[in-house]
Amino acid sequence: MRCISTVTYSFIVNGEPRGRIVPSCGLRQGDSISPYLFLLCAEVLSRCILLAEQRDLLHGVEICVGAPSISHLFFADDSFIFFKAERGECVALKNILHEYECASGQQVNYQKICISFSKNVDRALQDELADTLGVVRVEKHDKYLGLPMELSYSKEAAFSYLNEKIRNRTQGWREKTLSVAGKEILIKAVAQAIPSYVMNCFELPKHLCEEMHRLMARFWWGGDDSVRKIHWVSWKKLCSSKNEGAEVKGGDSYTWRSIISGREVLKKGLRFQVGDGRSISVWLDPWVPLPFALKPYSPLMEGTKDFTVADLIDEGGREWVMELLEELSQVMKLILLRSFP
């Protein structure tokens, strides 16, 4: 508690800290101890719900006969609580939240809480229980942790919000003057990142992906919903891998020819930044750091032609395999002695 009650803040004015403010509402969100305090409070709320379940005041949901009941799911500030559609359980939950408010000093915002029911619950009872808790009744919860809750209905309706997000972002960008490089960065870093989280879990319908491509292409070439400019190159060709390009052709500009000619000069002084080392040849690729040569000094050893840097690294410990390096060093010395007796 001393870490919480003794905190003070100052402001940097003209490069100097000024003032001494003692906050009256606890820690600010960016404080280093704030996440741990949040977890402690969330753990208390979780234990209160579990205790109420042990006393038969609340009953969670079971996915099948004999399965353990699930009374709540907490992830950061997104929380789900499951219980029977009975007035007594609504009162028990409200008492738990009230006790949590008194103990933590936090106030539950009931305007941001909504409740949904099984189809077997009568509509009048649904309204009564929602009024008991003081929350809004909804037909279903649309999303949890950014993902759709139900997929039994139209897939297009479930994932259409992704295209809406892309459309809103690209329409906002059109109002600004952006270079070609700026448009490329925004498409790759922002627009294409919007559906990536959802696509980790779900396979999106093909027509939704095509609509995303159309929105990005429209932003790239310019125009809006009322005016559509000419798309001079197909989207498929525009999205080709960079490995398929970088060649000088007859109609290329002087600038592009200069960049390509300078690339060979850069290669003489560039080296690989070693990651897992699986694609770096020990003998052929430049990977040895300066001030040494970019490649090993010794000649190619017999039987090690296909060695990669990954073969010299312990994948589990992420360290060099010293036994193998020492063995190669001894062989290298023998080769040098034979070459220069």
Side-chain angles (χ1 to χ4, degrees):
M1 289 301 300
R2 291 189 61 188
C3 294
I4 300 172
S5 58
T6 60
V7 63
T8 59
Y9 300 116
S10 299
F11 295 94
I12 301 295
V13 180
N14 296 328
E16 297 182 0
R18 300 290 180 86
R20 183 175 180 273
I21 300 175
V22 180
S24 59
C25 298
L27 298 177
R28 63 186 177 91
Q29 187 174 359
D31 198 290
S32 57
I33 200 175
S34 181
Y36 300 100
L37 184 65
F38 178 84
L39 292 176
L40 289 173
C41 294
E43 182 66 18
V44 172
L45 179 59
S46 175
R47 295 298 179 92
C48 291
I49 296 175
L50 291 175
L51 182 60
E53 192 175 14
Q54 293 174 4
R55 295 175 176 176
D56 289 333
L57 298 177
L58 291 177
H59 296 83
V61 64
E62 299 178 0
I63 60 175
C64 64
V65 178
S69 64
I70 300 175
S71 58
H72 60 284
L73 296 173
F74 289 169
F75 186 87
D77 58 348
D78 287 339
S79 305
F80 258 103
I81 302 177
F82 305 93
F83 55 92
K84 284 186 177 181
E86 297 178 357
R87 190 176 186 279
E89 300 212 1
C90 288
V91 173
L93 177 59
K94 194 158 188 178
N95 290 336
I96 292 174
L97 295 177
H98 178 69
E99 292 175 358
Y100 176 76
E101 288 179 329
C102 296
S104 65
Q106 295 178 306
Q107 184 176 5
V108 177
N109 189 349
Y110 288 94
Q111 295 180 352
K112 292 185 177 181
I113 300 177
C114 58
I115 185 172
S116 63
F117 298 86
S118 167
K119 296 180 180 179
N120 299 324
V121 182
D122 183 71
R123 176 60 185 271
L125 180 59
Q126 293 185 20
D127 294 335
E128 178 186 348
L129 297 179
D131 292 338
T132 301
L133 284 173
V135 299
V136 179
R137 186 198 67 84
V138 295
E139 292 296 331
K140 63 179 182 296
H141 296 285
D142 293 332
K143 294 189 290 293
Y144 178 61
L145 303 181
L147 297 176
M149 288 284 294
E150 299 180 13
L151 293 176
S152 57
Y153 52 96
S154 170
K155 304 297 185 296
E156 182 175 359
F159 298 111
S160 60
Y161 72 94
L162 295 174
N163 283 335
E164 190 62 29
K165 280 186 176 181
I166 295 176
R167 184 179 290 107
N168 293 336
R169 290 294 184 91
T170 54
Q171 286 179 349
W173 293 336
R174 288 197 192 97
E175 300 174 359
K176 304 175 182 179
T177 304
L178 295 173
S179 63
V180 174
K183 289 183 178 181
E184 179 184 1
I185 292 173
L186 288 175
I187 289 177
K188 291 181 177 180
V190 181
Q192 291 183 348
I194 290 176
S196 60
Y197 174 67
V198 177
M199 295 175 73
N200 287 331
C201 302
F202 300 105
E203 183 180 4
L204 298 183
K206 185 176 180 180
H207 65 278
L208 285 179
C209 297
E210 292 175 348
E211 177 63 20
M212 293 179 190
H213 292 165
R214 283 193 291 268
L215 292 172
M216 296 177 195
R218 187 178 301 170
F219 166 69
W220 175 261
W221 295 109
D224 50 31
D225 295 334
S226 59
V227 179
R228 184 177 182 274
K229 293 188 177 180
I230 298 176
H231 295 200
W232 296 102
V233 182
S234 68
W235 183 254
K236 182 177 180 181
K237 188 174 182 179
L238 196 64
C239 295
S240 300
S241 173
K242 291 184 178 180
N243 293 330
E244 301 176 10
E247 295 180 358
V248 177
K249 299 179 181 178
D252 290 344
S253 65
Y254 172 75
T255 302
W256 179 246
R257 291 175 179 271
S258 301
I259 292 174
I260 295 300
S261 62
R263 181 180 58 178
E264 300 303 321
V265 178
L266 289 175
K267 283 184 176 181
K268 295 180 180 180
L270 296 177
R271 69 177 179 87
F272 283 99
Q273 182 69 36
V274 178
D276 56 20
R278 295 178 180 177
S279 59
I280 305 176
S281 171
V282 171
W283 308 107
L284 303 179
D285 294 328
W287 64 276
V288 181
L290 296 173
F292 305 101
L294 299 178
K295 299 179 183 179
Y297 282 111
S298 65
L300 179 63
M301 298 182 186
E302 186 177 354
T304 63
K305 179 181 178 181
D306 298 328
F307 265 31
T308 63
V309 178
D311 297 323
L312 308 178
I313 301 175
D314 179 10
E315 186 174 356
R318 304 294 298 170
E319 297 178 350
W320 295 107
V321 183
M322 298 306 300
E323 296 81 1
L324 178 58
L325 291 176
E326 291 175 359
E327 182 180 348
L328 292 176
S329 177
Q330 294 297 328
V331 175
M332 186 187 307
K333 291 180 180 179
L334 293 176
I335 294 176
L336 293 175
L337 289 173
R338 291 173 182 175
S339 301
F340 304 97

